Amino acid sequence: MKHLIQGFVFGISMSFISWIVGMIVNSLLMKTELHYKLSNLNFIKSKDFNKKIGMKPFKWIVKNTFFKYFNQKIKVESQNDDLIEIRKEMVISEISHLIGFVFVVIFASYKIFSAGIIFGATMMIPNSLMNLYPSLLQQENKRRIDNLLKRKNR
């Protein structure tokens, strides 16, 4: 039980730190070809699978709690909003979270060997909720914006 709690708490701490690491590494990658390739990632294309993994409740949590204040640049408030600029901000957020996710995965892998499998595996729970899910949410929102832009261009 001790490793379970410590792993979870350490996972939360590492996930917060990973946000900063993700932003720094992403800012270094922005002018590279890799960033362009990463900007078109689409891990989950199925709306049904997004529902199965709980993306709808996660989206509700982001929209209706203090998380809604984190990135004000990715809000669509009217039809006159610049969807291309909002999409760029979503890509920045998505890639930063993915970098943060990988950062914590590396630490969790190390902790599996140094502190035990329960400690390391438990670190992945907050990492998934604080890095993977936000990235998947941005991918879903990017698809919606891409559809809007296609309709707008027709």
Side-chain angles (χ1 to χ4, degrees):
M1 190 64 155
K2 177 183 169 186
H3 286 290
L4 193 71
I5 294 168
Q6 286 179 338
F8 191 78
V9 171
F10 192 68
I12 291 172
S13 302
M14 287 303 300
S15 294
F16 277 116
I17 292 167
S18 74
W19 288 352
I20 297 165
V21 171
M23 287 186 281
I24 291 169
V25 173
N26 190 27
S27 66
L28 296 173
L29 288 176
M30 278 186 158
K31 302 293 184 198
T32 66
E33 183 69 25
L34 178 62
H35 192 272
Y36 175 75
K37 288 178 184 177
L38 291 174
S39 70
N40 293 308
L41 283 179
N42 205 355
F43 294 132
I44 301 173
K45 295 177 182 168
S46 166
K47 287 183 181 181
D48 289 336
F49 191 70
N50 271 339
K51 283 183 185 177
K52 287 179 184 174
I53 64 170
M55 196 54 68
K56 193 171 185 175
F58 182 78
K59 183 188 275 187
W60 185 90
I61 290 167
V62 170
K63 285 173 66 175
N64 295 298
T65 64
F66 65 92
F67 289 109
K68 68 182 171 186
Y69 300 111
F70 277 16
N71 195 344
Q72 295 291 306
K73 294 179 182 177
I74 56 176
K75 252 186 186 173
V76 178
E77 293 176 334
S78 73
Q79 289 181 343
N80 298 329
D81 287 342
D82 184 0
L83 294 178
I84 294 170
E85 191 59 36
I86 292 171
R87 188 184 190 285
K88 285 179 188 174
E89 292 297 328
M90 285 180 176
V91 167
I92 291 169
S93 176
E94 171 195 1
I95 294 172
S96 295
H97 279 292
L98 282 176
I99 293 166
F101 180 75
V102 170
F103 177 77
V104 177
V105 165
I106 292 167
F107 265 88
S109 299
Y110 169 75
K111 284 296 192 182
I112 284 173
F113 295 109
S114 67
I117 193 162
I118 292 175
F119 189 98
T122 308
M123 283 179 62
M124 291 304 298
I125 296 168
N127 187 31
S128 296
L129 293 173
M130 295 172 70
N131 280 316
L132 183 60
Y133 268 66
S135 186
L136 294 174
L137 179 61
Q138 296 310 331
Q139 287 182 10
E140 182 181 333
N141 289 335
K142 275 190 332 190
R143 286 192 299 274
R144 291 174 51 216
I145 284 185
D146 289 343
N147 288 335
L148 285 172
L149 289 169
K150 282 179 190 174
R151 275 193 255 147
K152 201 174 188 179
N153 290 332
R154 283 187 211 153

